[in-house]
Amino acid sequence: MSEFGDKLGLLKPGQVWTMRNAPNPAARVIVGRVEPFKGRMIAHVTVRDLDPPGGVDGFGEEAELTISHIPIALESAAESLSTLITPMGEISEDFEEAYRDWKKLADQNQAGIFVESIAEAVLDIFAIMRGSAPEKS
């Protein structure tokens, strides 16, 4: 079985992973949940220890950024992960709050999921933070 296939069944809440093509090497992904959504399996992740994006005010020189919740297709999440750092990290209250907000909107068909890599989702979020929505087909 491929490395990707091996990860599909192994993603569990609390795991901390490194990320392929991370915006910075220190970035870590924490799996918050894995669940079905509209006929497919998805992962809900937190990405921490990111360098703040350029062009966004309000961050100090030594600041680190955490994106509390990224809902993403399970296949994309599994392909995005590189090395398991620890099997049980801490799932933050910020994650839980952001997940609940997303779930409420998703139940009303007002929120969806990312289908590209976690690194690409982070870059899309950075673009939104800069005030420009990424182009999607």
Side-chain angles (χ1 to χ4, degrees), residues 75-86:
E75 307 86 29
S76 299
E79 289 175 349
S80 298
L81 301 174
S82 182
T83 303
L84 180 64
I85 301 296
T86 181

Side-chain angles (χ1 to χ4, degrees), residues 11-104:
L11 291 184
K12 305 283 186 241
Q15 291 176 332
V16 180
W17 293 81
T18 60
M19 177 187 359
R20 295 185 194 284
N21 303 313
N24 62 292
R28 297 294 179 260
V29 177
I30 303 170
V31 178
R33 293 178 190 256
V34 176
E35 66 182 2
F37 175 74
K38 295 187 177 182
R40 70 188 312 169
M41 293 301 292
I42 65 171
H44 299 272
V45 300
T46 295
V47 181
R48 68 169 201 223
D49 302 330
L50 290 163
D51 292 334
V56 177
D57 294 333
F59 294 102
E61 192 172 308
E62 299 297 317
E64 291 181 342
L65 175 68
T66 295
I67 299 174
S68 299
H69 177 248
I70 299 176
I72 187 165
L74 186 61
E75 307 86 29
S76 299
E79 289 175 349
S80 298
L81 301 174
S82 182
T83 303
L84 180 64
I85 301 296
T86 181
M88 198 57 210
E90 182 177 329
I91 300 171
S92 73
E93 184 57 39
D94 289 343
F95 167 83
E96 293 297 340
E97 182 179 340
Y99 169 80
R100 286 189 300 271
D101 291 345
W102 172 85
K103 181 75 170 143
K104 182 177 179 181

